[in-house]
Structure formats: C-alpha cells, structure tokens
C-alpha cells in the first residue's frame, strides 16, 4: 500500500509562487511514475503534471506549461511541483498520485494522497 503525503499548499497572491511536496512511504518509489492532479469546486479532477520514474520525461497540462515544473528526488521518495506566476484559475485542491505508468486520466491512477489546498487571490 502506497501512502502519499502532500505539503506546501496555502494562500498566495496572483503572480506569486508555491512549491508543493509529496513524500511516499514506500521504498519502491523509484519504480512509479508520479503525478499532480487538481480539482476545483464543481469541476472534475484534472491532470496537471507527471514525471516518469527516472525523472527524464515530464508532461504538463497546457494550462500550466511554462509556469509549473515537476521534479523528483528518488533518494528522498519525494516529488515536487514548483508553481510560478500563479493565477486565480489555479485555485484548487492539488493531489499527488502514483502508478507504474504515467497517465493523464485520473481514473487510471491507483494511488492518491489526501490533497493540499492552493488558493490564489487576485
């Protein structure tokens, strides 16, 4: 059973930055692709960014491309999401997720964290 714990959410003004972290409680972290999804009130959970197990390949939603960066440190079992130039539309609960493969569809991903709130004030 993979346990994922997110941290780093909070309230920030538009144009500001936040860095989210997600630590996995398993020693097989390096075997999994890691993802960040988000869900705003009244909306479906959507893909934000993903990184394959070695860290060499990353993928982003068009809405965050160029503003967000996903990275991972396999020695620390941790994945990060650096979010710059935040916009009010980025306000959502952000979820860390893990699976053997990198997916853009939330319904295909098996392991989820509890989520962390990100609120961007305009």
């Amino acid at each position: 059973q993979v346990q994922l714990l997110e941290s780093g959410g909070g309230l920030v003004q538009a144009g500001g930055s936040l860095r989210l972290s997600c630590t996995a409680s398993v020693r097989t972290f390096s075997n999994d692709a890691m993802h960040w999804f988000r869900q705003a009130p009244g909306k479906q959970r959507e893909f934000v960014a993903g990184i394959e197990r070695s860290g060499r390949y990353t993928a982003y939603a068009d809405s965050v491309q160029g503003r967000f960066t996903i990275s991972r440190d396999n020695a620390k079992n941790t994945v990060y999401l650096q979010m710059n130039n935040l916009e009010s539309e980025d306000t959502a609960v952000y979820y860390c997720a893990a699976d053997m493969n990198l997916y853009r569809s939330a319904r295909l991903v098996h392991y989820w964290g509890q989520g962390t709130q990100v609120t961007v004030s305009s």
Side-chain angles (χ1 to χ4, degrees), residues 99-119:
D99 209 289
M100 285 188 63
N101 298 309
L102 199 161
Y103 297 112
R104 288 179 176 263
S105 173
R107 64 181 178 87
L108 298 177
V109 181
H110 285 86
Y111 303 105
W112 292 87
Q114 293 299 307
T116 185
Q117 177 71 46
V118 172
T119 303

Side-chain angles (χ1 to χ4, degrees), residues 2-21:
V2 177
Q3 290 186 325
L4 303 172
L5 181 63
E6 303 99 335
S7 62
L11 174 64
V12 63
Q13 288 188 331
S17 298
L18 280 176
R19 188 175 83 153
L20 305 182
S21 299

